[in-house]
Amino acid sequence: MKYYYRVYGLNIESTIEIPEFELIDSDCNIDVKLSFGVVKEDIIEKITQGYVANYEKKDMWFYVENVAIFHIYNGDTVIVEPMGDKNNKMIKLYIMGSVMGMILLQKNRVAIHGGGIVVDGKGCIFTGQKCAGKSTITTALRKKGYKFIADDVCSINIGDVNTISHGFGYQKLCEDAMGKLEYNIDDYEPFRGDLDVNKYIVPAFDEFTKEEVPLEAIFELSVGDVEKVEIEEVLGASKINKILENIFRIEILKFAGGIDPSYFKKCLNIAKNTRLYKITRPKNVFSVEDQIHFVKDVI
């Protein structure tokens, strides 16, 4: 059985069912082939020696104990060798996250680690470190009726007007955010996320858009020693640095020999044509409404 999907601006042929991805017709041009299979012997040998990953420009793999080995190469092929049950839900989660991030890197396509929301027809990306509140603010905006385009990865198409390509119509929320945003956690299945905390996958189909939207602004979220929410525009050289810091899986490029000049040029293009703001929120205060007020004001 083959499935055909579109996500992050790419058409995928897959023998692995991923219901979260958008189904498309089978007669499309294929950018990526994804399948279960057996990885190369030299990868197995490296794993027996204690290695868990290796990253080169066009040849990347990583091993997750009791889940699978994931081999991503040439920017167009993914082989997944399960370590047990092929239906292990963690396999799908790694494909939706790290695997697709590596494909985007190999294809030299810039992807910001963050969620995307459409405000007055303009695409806004919310980025920042783990637990900065990316999914919280995008979920809050979505629940207010704003269209949602991506949860964790915003793939950017560089052109006369830079646009955000859609991800999939689900969001990953931590247990704390679930309660504050009035979701009943008993209605959702948890999984163990980063930082060893429970997260939940929340469907968001009704507010999800599959249209490419122009990229207008990037908001970097942070937590600081402030009494109330603060916002400042980032300008000059700091702007390109912020963009590079928030590329999805940017650390892989460092292992794989550094940033390609053509990739850096795309990041410069984004910096030149996109407004960038830093939003700092106080610790231990649920201030999402104040953050939204600033976002709407500048957009």
Side-chain angles (χ1 to χ4, degrees):
M1 183 69 181
K2 290 183 179 180
Y3 305 90
Y4 297 87
Y5 302 116
R6 185 165 178 81
V7 65
Y8 303 138
L10 304 174
N11 295 333
I12 300 174
E13 177 187 287
S14 176
T15 60
I16 304 173
E17 185 178 14
I18 308 175
E20 290 81 359
F21 287 175
E22 175 200 3
L23 280 169
I24 57 174
D25 293 334
S26 60
D27 59 354
C28 61
N29 293 323
I30 298 301
D31 300 302
V32 181
K33 291 189 176 182
L34 171 65
S35 63
F36 286 123
V38 178
V39 301
K40 296 186 298 184
E41 281 297 323
D42 62 329
I43 294 177
I44 300 297
E45 184 177 347
K46 286 290 186 181
I47 292 171
T48 60
Q49 294 172 0
Y51 293 89
V52 295
N54 187 68
Y55 304 122
E56 299 175 13
K57 288 282 187 185
K58 295 293 183 180
D59 194 339
M60 304 175 179
W61 64 265
F62 65 98
Y63 163 62
V64 182
E65 188 176 6
N66 299 323
V67 178
I69 306 168
F70 302 87
H71 187 196
I72 305 98
Y73 57 95
N74 295 334
D76 60 12
T77 306
V78 178
I79 301 297
V80 180
E81 181 172 345
M83 299 289 100
D85 185 5
K86 284 187 176 182
N87 294 317
N88 186 334
K89 63 182 179 182
M90 295 304 297
I91 292 177
K92 181 179 67 175
L93 289 170
Y94 277 105
I95 291 172
M96 293 163 62
S98 295
V99 167
M100 290 307 305
M102 293 179 199
I103 283 290
L104 292 168
L105 289 175
Q106 289 183 354
K107 286 188 172 295
N108 220 32
R109 190 175 175 107
V110 178
I112 302 293
H113 184 191
I117 291 288
V118 184
V119 180
D120 296 335
K122 304 169 184 177
C124 299
I125 298 175
F126 297 89
T127 188
Q129 297 299 312
K130 293 175 181 177
C131 298
K134 300 184 292 291
S135 293
T136 301
I137 192 170
T138 53
T139 302
L141 283 162
R142 176 177 61 77
K143 293 184 76 173
K144 288 180 179 291
Y146 293 95
K147 289 294 184 181
F148 160 68
I149 191 167
D151 174 52
D152 203 37
V153 180
C154 286
S155 176
I156 300 172
N157 181 42
I158 305 297
D160 293 336
V161 176
N162 296 335
T163 57
I164 307 173
S165 299
H166 73 75
F168 40 88
Y170 289 79
Q171 289 189 283
K172 298 191 290 289
L173 294 174
C174 65
E175 190 166 333
D176 182 57
M178 292 284 284
K180 290 174 179 176
L181 293 167
E182 300 180 346
Y183 285 102
N184 183 356
I185 62 173
D186 293 333
D187 295 335
Y188 303 90
E189 186 177 3
F191 66 94
R192 187 66 68 178
D194 295 331
L195 303 181
D196 204 33
V197 297
N198 276 343
K199 289 190 175 183
Y200 299 80
I201 292 184
V202 177
F205 302 117
D206 292 342
E207 300 85 10
F208 182 61
T209 179
K210 298 175 184 177
E211 300 293 328
E212 295 235 349
V213 297
L215 173 58
E216 177 69 17
I218 298 172
F219 296 89
E220 184 188 59
L221 307 178
S222 65
V223 182
D225 293 320
V226 295
E227 294 184 359
K228 60 181 181 179
V229 176
E230 297 179 356
I231 186 170
E232 62 176 323
E233 186 169 6
V234 179
L235 302 169
S238 296
K239 201 172 179 182
I240 182 64
N241 290 336
K242 288 291 185 186
I243 289 171
L244 290 171
E245 287 171 7
N246 290 292
I247 297 296
F248 187 66
R249 301 311 306 267
I250 183 65
E251 70 279 5
I252 290 177
L253 289 182
K254 298 174 183 177
F255 287 115
I259 297 173
D260 186 86
S262 62
Y263 190 91
F264 185 75
K265 186 177 179 180
K266 291 180 179 182
C267 293
L268 282 174
N269 180 302
I270 295 169
K272 179 182 177 181
N273 295 290
T274 310
R275 290 184 287 164
L276 197 155
Y277 299 89
K278 181 177 180 180
I279 295 178
T280 305
R281 62 179 176 86
K283 298 176 181 177
N284 304 317
V285 176
F286 189 65
S287 58
V288 70
E289 290 296 331
D290 292 332
Q291 296 173 52
I292 289 174
H293 172 78
F294 279 119
V295 170
K296 293 170 66 175
D297 189 48
V298 300
I299 296 298

